[in-house]
Amino acid sequence: MAEEAQPGTRRPGTTGRPVVLITGASSGIGLATATRLADAGWHTLLSGTDRARLDALAERTGGSALPEDLSKPDGPARLAEAALAETGRVDALIASAGLGWRGPFAETPSDTLDRMIEVNLAAPLRLVRHLLPGMLERRHGRIVLLGSMAGQVGVRDESGYSATKGGLAMFAESLWYELRGTGVGVRLVLPGAVDTPFFDRRGTPYQRARPRPVPVERVADTVLATITTGRDRLYVPHWLGLPARIHGVAPGVFRRMASRFG
């Protein structure tokens, strides 16, 4: 971590390494990120819903498996408590757990919508609320939120998912202002389509001609970079920043382009 995050006193087992809590570590971006961070010398606290996969990852990385269901309102509190009990502190939070669904909004199953709101939006906010006081007290830390281009520009037939990611982006933006000068950094990573099991789990495959899904390792590398550098908003791939800017300054033009090119 940068100079803001010098290691302090830790519980036995972390061997003086900085500690990172990663949600969604069972697969996809979370799993790849955990591997990258372990290789970079971090002690990883691995959360997800697949205990067997978490245990296998913990064995490979020397981390700790902390299974938890973040779709439950009390899940984030239990996870934060378990993380602090395991290592005494959390130097960085990587909130990469996410759920999606594709289809007309009027046909979105109510339980699916509720779970997306809980996992994609409410859980990161609740985790930050539990872990931020310790970071502020130590005057160092990193909060890395995995957003989505869908939350920047909107996507047809993904209204609910886009809304949760849009809310997460505004949380990151507002928190960035609030935490300036505290030693705690807020980072927002904004991938487009990523080659993960995400699309299988949402029930429909990725069907767009462009952009093509990027390898999950590319997103993991970006997460690692945003922890160790001062850049607070990164697009993956980076050229997606251009359509995001067009949407911001000329939304009508963007909508016409999106309608034409899909």
Side-chain angles (χ1 to χ4, degrees):
M1 188 176 284
E3 67 279 4
E4 296 169 332
Q6 297 300 320
T9 302
R10 293 175 174 80
R11 299 285 178 85
T14 64
T15 63
R17 294 176 290 166
V19 178
V20 57
L21 172 60
I22 305 166
T23 69
S26 301
S27 65
I29 294 172
L31 188 154
T33 298
T35 302
R36 287 287 194 268
L37 287 168
D39 291 343
W42 289 72
H43 180 79
T44 55
L45 303 178
L46 309 164
S47 186
T49 55
D50 190 323
R51 180 61 191 253
R53 292 176 67 90
L54 290 177
D55 286 341
L57 180 60
E59 185 175 354
R60 292 201 309 272
T61 62
S64 306
L66 302 176
E68 186 56 70
D69 185 356
L70 296 180
S71 70
K72 307 296 184 183
D74 57 349
R78 288 197 301 265
L79 177 56
E81 181 179 354
L84 294 173
E86 180 73 17
T87 55
R89 64 192 287 143
V90 171
D91 297 305
L93 168 67
I94 313 295
S96 63
L99 299 174
W101 190 84
R102 180 177 175 83
F105 186 70
E107 299 175 10
T108 308
S110 294
D111 61 336
T112 298
L113 181 60
D114 291 345
R115 292 184 73 236
M116 279 197 298
I117 293 171
E118 286 293 336
V119 174
N120 298 358
L121 180 58
L125 269 65
R126 291 178 177 133
L127 277 171
V128 171
R129 175 63 186 85
H130 287 291
L131 298 175
L132 181 58
M135 293 181 180
L136 289 172
E137 182 179 354
R138 296 186 298 273
R139 296 194 59 81
H140 66 71
R142 287 288 187 274
I143 297 166
V144 182
L145 305 173
L146 265 294
S148 170
M149 275 298 292
Q152 299 292 292
V153 301
V155 177
R156 179 178 178 174
D157 289 336
E158 295 185 38
S159 301
Y161 176 76
S162 298
T164 62
K165 291 299 187 178
L168 193 65
M170 288 303 98
F171 173 63
E173 188 78 6
S174 300
L175 197 61
W176 183 86
Y177 291 115
E178 181 179 331
L179 297 181
R180 287 188 69 185
T182 65
V184 180
V186 181
R187 308 291 189 249
L188 180 66
V189 177
L190 296 160
V194 184
D195 187 11
T196 73
F198 174 86
F199 297 105
D200 295 332
R201 292 185 183 131
R202 76 174 186 179
T204 56
Y206 184 75
Q207 299 171 323
R208 295 179 176 273
R210 63 184 71 83
R212 301 310 305 162
V214 300
V216 67
E217 291 79 12
R218 187 168 178 181
V219 183
D221 289 339
T222 301
V223 172
L224 178 58
T226 198
I227 290 179
T228 56
T229 68
R231 298 182 63 186
D232 52 67
R233 179 180 291 245
L234 291 95
Y235 294 89
V236 188
H238 65 85
W239 62 263
L240 287 177
L242 176 59
R245 288 192 290 272
I246 294 174
H247 181 271
V249 300
V253 173
F254 179 89
R255 288 181 190 133
R256 288 193 294 272
M257 293 173 60
S259 297
R260 180 178 179 183
F261 298 108

